[in-house]
Amino acid sequence: MRIVIAGGHGQIALRLERLLAARGDEAAGIIRNPEQSEDLRSAGAEPVVLDLESATVDQTAEVLRGADAAVFAAGAGPNSGTERKDTVDRGAAVLFADAAERAGVRRYVVVSAMGADPNHPGDEVFDAYLRAKGAADAYVRSRTALDWTILRPGMLTNDAGTGQVQLSVSTGRGPVPRDDVAAALLELLDTPATAGLTLELISGSVPVTVAVKGVAGN
């Protein structure tokens, strides 16, 4: 498979790229900063320099053309303000979905956030982030040409992954290692029957492969 990942230098994306490369799949990571290219190569991925805040749909579709799946894992980052929550967490996600559609890439997996809601109240930056992610999710869900799956992890940690998770439409709050998020993304990419599902993910007691099979088609 060839998988194109938006936000290719993110912590979850780099983990996913390593998993894809380890089993012989082709990963391409979209990055804004060319200085990050070597990190992607070290993870076994092809770096593609493209700024999703200023790129056109056609430019982005060109990168996606011929891919088997697209993963949106980009984010403005914890130190960004409300404006970039809108241009990246919402705007870039919308652009990437449009580009996938134009390129004929049906399988589309989103790394969202627990609590994402376009109508989330509040004036803090994190409130704006949850609104932006919620608006992006709602847009993706409206695209009938995409076989989308939206994954909403709980509180992300850098603990070593256990491979044991809880995955369902609603899990309640909880932490989850980024290792296990990447493993879940890989399994979701392999399981097209999860299309049309918005899922929450936290640490639990069920192996990732079993957890994904358990929600597939439901």
Side-chain angles (χ1 to χ4, degrees), residues 3 8 35-36 86 92 143 148 150 159 167 173 200 206 210:
I3 313 296
E35 293 179 2
Q36 297 171 340
D86 185 66
R143 311 316 296 166
W148 53 265
I150 295 169
D159 297 337
L167 178 71
R173 301 277 173 179
E200 294 183 351
V206 180
V210 177

Side-chain angles (χ1 to χ4, degrees), residues 93-118:
V94 167
L95 171 84
F96 202 57
D98 287 346
E101 206 168 290
R102 188 162 300 183
V105 180
R106 288 201 64 94
R107 190 72 177 113
Y108 191 88
V109 178
V110 178
V111 182
S112 184
M114 197 173 284
D117 179 352

Side-chain angles (χ1 to χ4, degrees), residues 89-215:
D89 293 290
R90 184 200 60 79
V94 167
L95 171 84
F96 202 57
D98 287 346
E101 206 168 290
R102 188 162 300 183
V105 180
R106 288 201 64 94
R107 190 72 177 113
Y108 191 88
V109 178
V110 178
V111 182
S112 184
M114 197 173 284
D117 179 352
N119 299 311
H120 180 83
D123 301 320
E124 301 297 323
V125 173
F126 190 68
D127 298 322
Y129 167 74
L130 291 177
R131 281 193 293 274
K133 294 297 281 186
D137 291 355
Y139 185 82
V140 168
R141 285 196 290 253
S142 76
R143 311 316 296 166
T144 56
L146 297 178
D147 295 329
W148 53 265
T149 304
I150 295 169
L151 183 66
R152 293 177 167 175
M155 186 183 72
L156 299 169
T157 75
N158 286 327
D159 297 337
T162 65
Q164 305 279 316
V165 298
Q166 182 181 343
L167 178 71
S168 66
V169 172
S170 178
T171 60
R173 301 277 173 179
V176 62
R178 287 178 172 88
D179 286 351
D180 290 335
V181 178
L185 289 170
L186 187 73
E187 203 64 34
L188 290 169
L189 285 167
D190 286 348
T191 314
T194 58
L197 298 179
T198 301
L199 301 165
E200 294 183 351
L201 177 75
I202 59 174
S203 290
S205 57
V206 180
V208 171
T209 52
V210 177
V212 171
K213 285 185 177 69
V215 298

Side-chain angles (χ1 to χ4, degrees), residues 47-72:
V48 178
V49 179
L50 183 72
D51 185 351
L52 293 176
E53 286 182 272
S54 59
T56 66
V57 172
D58 283 337
Q59 287 171 329
T60 311
E62 200 53 45
V63 175
L64 282 158
R65 214 167 299 285
D68 296 289
V71 177
F72 186 82

